[in-house]
Amino acid sequence: MKKYFFLLVFTFITLSLYAKIRLPNIVGSNMVLQQKSNTKIWGWASPGEKIKITTSWDNKTIDVKADGNANWKINIQTPQAGGPYTITLQGENKIVLDNILIGEVWVCSGQSNMEWSFNNGIISIRDEFSHLSKLKIRLFHIPKTTSKTPQDNVDGNWAVIDSNNLKAFSAVGYYFGKNLNQAMDVPIGLISSNWGGTPAEAWTPDTMVEGNPVLKDAASKIKPRPNWPVKPGYAYNAMIAPLVNYQIAGTIWYQGESNTETASTYSELMNTMIASWRKAWNKDFPFYYVQIAPYKYGNNNIGALLREAQIKSLSTKNTGMVVVSDLVNDTLNIHPVNKKDVGIRLANLAIAETYGLNKSASPKNALFKSVTIKGANAIIDFYNTDTGLEIKGNTAKEIFIAGTDQVFYPATVKIKENTIVVSSQQVKTPVAVRYQFSNAGIGNLFSKTGLPVAPFRTDSWELNTEKIK
């Protein structure tokens, strides 16, 4: 009899344990919820368990019941930015989420240049420590994790920003968030999900790669590496999929260095990845990314081709790209240390393009538009040059011109209104112009807003991508 009594008690305790309301880690105290949105709150409970959810900003209570698979999910309407607030969940147990802010939530993803933090050597962040308490910023850092299948939870927790948790957080993400917070005066939630060395395939659902013959073939050419995943979907499944119920404003992305050997398919891969994320969130959120910086790769021209592919991805709606070639002072370092200006440029894109503020100062880099040949001159027209162009220095650098023989010579550049006139005494009948179109070249053409002109070429000639001897 005693045996059955203990078995009954054990069973009761076990059922009580599993009956408790449980939440994914992304839904917790200190979180930032997207303002003025239909936001999901979700979790697990005993099948059929009834849960009452009360939000303190409107004191409304909503009822939800766990389904037969122990899942529950409900939408709540968030107000405009503010807080702190609480959310109370009452079922077999009670959970109170406190210190919640309502504001703007952004995902910060990519590889090492997004991951790089104070702990990785970005020591300039030390200057930020003394005034972090003035910023309404919350951080959620996702540890490196992989999975063969999409997951519904991820390790981590929301934290009020301080010098300790900032040390391990994305420097680019922090500067982005800081500038949004100061420009808009609303709370900012930053979710850091990145892994140095990962190709974009790892961040794309495997079905989207495997179902596309071009992308599948390119993925098969990526060599296995010991310290980061290369298989399609492995990072996405563990580090992005668990977030897709969480309402966000948009994403910033800094990646590409690990895809330089398959640059010809990178634009299609990026477009596919962006589309898959938006489909998962059911939202065409803005996607702003960083063009990879000049660096002396081991093969000819692979960096230039990857940057060209990144420019092509701007054809995807609601995207934006920042050029950072002028922020590099060491082309042997694949991790430029100036993350502050990278974050600021991404923030300026979001402030103008997503939030419609400060449009007087264009946040967009000048991009090649067209070339017109007139005699011995090649006239280059650009997008995003309403404020004019300038050369920083006595003569333009990293700009070359060629005739039908495809031999490029250093060119002379003259600025005429919002165009440049390119020529060389060695090229009587020009056919093509290239600017900063190499792995590590750093040019000096700028718009008068202070942003560098994006690298470009006017030709489509085959390039040498063999190993540099």
Side-chain angles (χ1 to χ4, degrees):
M1 189 70 180
K2 186 181 290 186
K3 175 182 176 183
Y4 290 111
F5 172 76
F6 283 118
L7 180 61
L8 184 63
V9 171
F10 175 78
T11 302
F12 176 78
I13 292 172
T14 303
L15 289 173
S16 298
L17 176 65
Y18 283 103
K20 288 184 176 180
I21 306 167
R22 288 164 289 137
L23 296 168
N25 291 325
I26 193 68
V27 178
S29 294
N30 301 317
M31 66 182 169
V32 177
L33 292 177
Q34 183 63 33
Q35 67 170 325
K36 296 183 287 187
S37 69
N38 205 20
T39 295
K40 292 183 180 70
I41 300 293
W42 74 100
W44 307 272
S46 182
E49 183 174 352
K50 295 179 180 179
I51 305 164
K52 292 184 178 294
I53 301 174
T54 305
T55 51
S56 70
W57 54 81
D58 57 10
N59 291 317
K60 289 183 178 179
T61 298
I62 306 172
D63 296 329
V64 64
K65 185 169 69 172
D67 65 20
N69 294 317
N71 298 306
W72 60 267
K73 181 167 59 178
I74 197 164
N75 291 334
I76 60 174
Q77 188 63 40
T78 56
Q80 67 181 21
Y85 297 109
T86 61
I87 297 177
T88 303
L89 301 96
Q90 181 68 63
E92 293 296 324
N93 61 312
K94 183 178 181 180
I95 297 176
V96 178
L97 306 178
D98 59 12
N99 201 24
I100 297 167
L101 297 181
I102 308 294
E104 296 293 312
V105 182
W106 287 77
V107 172
C108 313
S109 192
Q111 58 181 108
S112 54
N113 274 304
M114 181 62 79
E115 179 186 350
W116 241 229
S117 63
F118 177 88
N119 288 344
N120 297 116
I122 311 300
I123 58 175
S124 58
I125 288 186
R126 190 188 301 274
D127 297 336
E128 304 291 314
F129 292 168
S130 62
H131 61 257
L132 293 178
S133 61
K134 299 176 183 178
L135 302 175
K136 292 181 180 179
I137 295 177
R138 305 289 171 80
L139 308 177
F140 192 99
H141 179 76
I142 297 176
K144 295 180 176 69
T145 318
T146 63
S147 176
K148 292 182 179 180
T149 57
Q151 299 299 294
D152 56 11
N153 202 0
V154 67
D155 286 341
N157 55 77
W158 283 100
V160 177
I161 193 170
D162 62 28
S163 59
N164 288 324
N165 53 48
L166 179 57
K167 287 179 180 178
F169 199 83
S170 163
V172 170
Y174 164 70
Y175 287 117
F176 171 81
K178 174 189 174 182
N179 282 273
L180 283 190
N181 180 226
Q182 292 182 329
M184 300 172 64
D185 193 27
V186 301
I188 303 296
L190 300 173
I191 302 171
S192 177
S193 181
N194 36 69
W195 191 330
T198 48
E201 285 87 349
W203 297 96
T204 306
D206 59 343
T207 55
M208 302 301 290
V209 176
E210 298 296 331
N212 182 318
V214 173
L215 299 184
K216 182 179 180 180
D217 180 64
S220 69
K221 296 175 182 177
I222 298 177
K223 299 173 184 176
R225 295 164 183 172
N227 297 318
W228 47 81
V230 300
K231 290 185 178 180
Y234 268 48
Y236 173 85
N237 289 336
M239 300 175 69
I240 297 297
L243 307 176
V244 299
N245 280 327
Y246 201 82
Q247 187 70 261
I248 63 172
T251 297
I252 57 172
W253 173 263
Y254 194 162
Q255 190 276 340
E257 293 89 346
S258 291
N259 282 96
T260 50
E261 293 184 6
T262 54
S264 63
T265 59
Y266 187 77
S267 179
E268 185 171 354
L269 176 62
M270 276 286 288
N271 295 345
T272 300
M273 188 193 78
I274 294 169
S276 68
W277 287 25
R278 288 172 171 172
K279 181 179 179 181
W281 260 280
N282 193 28
K283 181 179 181 179
D284 288 336
F285 54 75
F287 192 101
Y288 301 132
Y289 57 94
V290 183
Q291 189 179 57
I292 62 170
Y295 175 71
K296 291 186 177 179
Y297 292 96
N299 288 57
N300 289 290
N301 295 310
I302 58 175
L305 287 169
L306 196 285
R307 291 185 205 102
E308 183 176 60
Q310 289 179 309
I311 292 174
K312 290 178 181 178
S313 288
L314 289 171
S315 62
T316 296
K317 67 178 181 179
N318 205 12
T319 58
M321 184 188 76
V322 299
V323 180
V324 296
S325 55
D326 60 317
L327 306 181
V328 175
N329 54 21
D330 180 6
T331 57
L332 293 176
N333 183 2
I334 204 168
H335 304 118
V337 296
N338 184 350
K339 304 302 185 192
K340 180 177 181 178
D341 286 313
V342 179
I344 290 173
R345 288 178 185 180
L346 286 166
N348 287 342
L349 262 181
I351 290 165
E353 300 299 309
T354 300
Y355 301 111
L357 305 174
N358 196 28
K359 285 192 172 182
S360 58
S362 174
K364 294 182 178 181
N365 295 87
L367 300 172
F368 168 74
K369 182 178 181 180
S370 63
V371 58
T372 303
I373 305 299
K374 288 189 176 180
N377 295 323
I379 302 169
I380 309 294
D381 198 7
F382 299 91
Y383 296 103
N384 310 324
T385 55
D386 293 344
T387 59
L389 295 163
E390 63 181 356
I391 299 170
K392 291 191 175 182
N394 295 326
T395 57
K397 300 176 181 178
E398 292 295 322
I399 190 157
F400 302 90
I401 192 168
T404 55
D405 59 1
Q406 300 188 16
V407 177
F408 283 88
Y409 297 93
T412 298
V413 176
K414 294 180 181 179
I415 294 175
K416 185 176 181 182
E417 297 176 347
N418 295 332
T419 67
I420 59 173
V421 180
V422 184
S423 62
S424 170
Q425 291 183 350
Q426 293 166 293
V427 181
K428 302 302 181 184
T429 306
V431 174
V433 175
R434 293 178 182 174
Y435 170 65
Q436 201 182 291
F437 205 82
S438 63
N439 285 341
I442 301 176
N444 59 346
L445 289 176
F446 288 78
S447 61
K448 288 189 176 178
T449 58
L451 295 177
V453 171
F456 67 87
R457 61 170 173 162
T458 67
D459 64 277
S460 57
W461 296 333
E462 186 175 349
L463 294 178
N464 172 20
T465 57
E466 294 177 357
K467 193 171 183 65
I468 297 172
K469 297 178 182 180

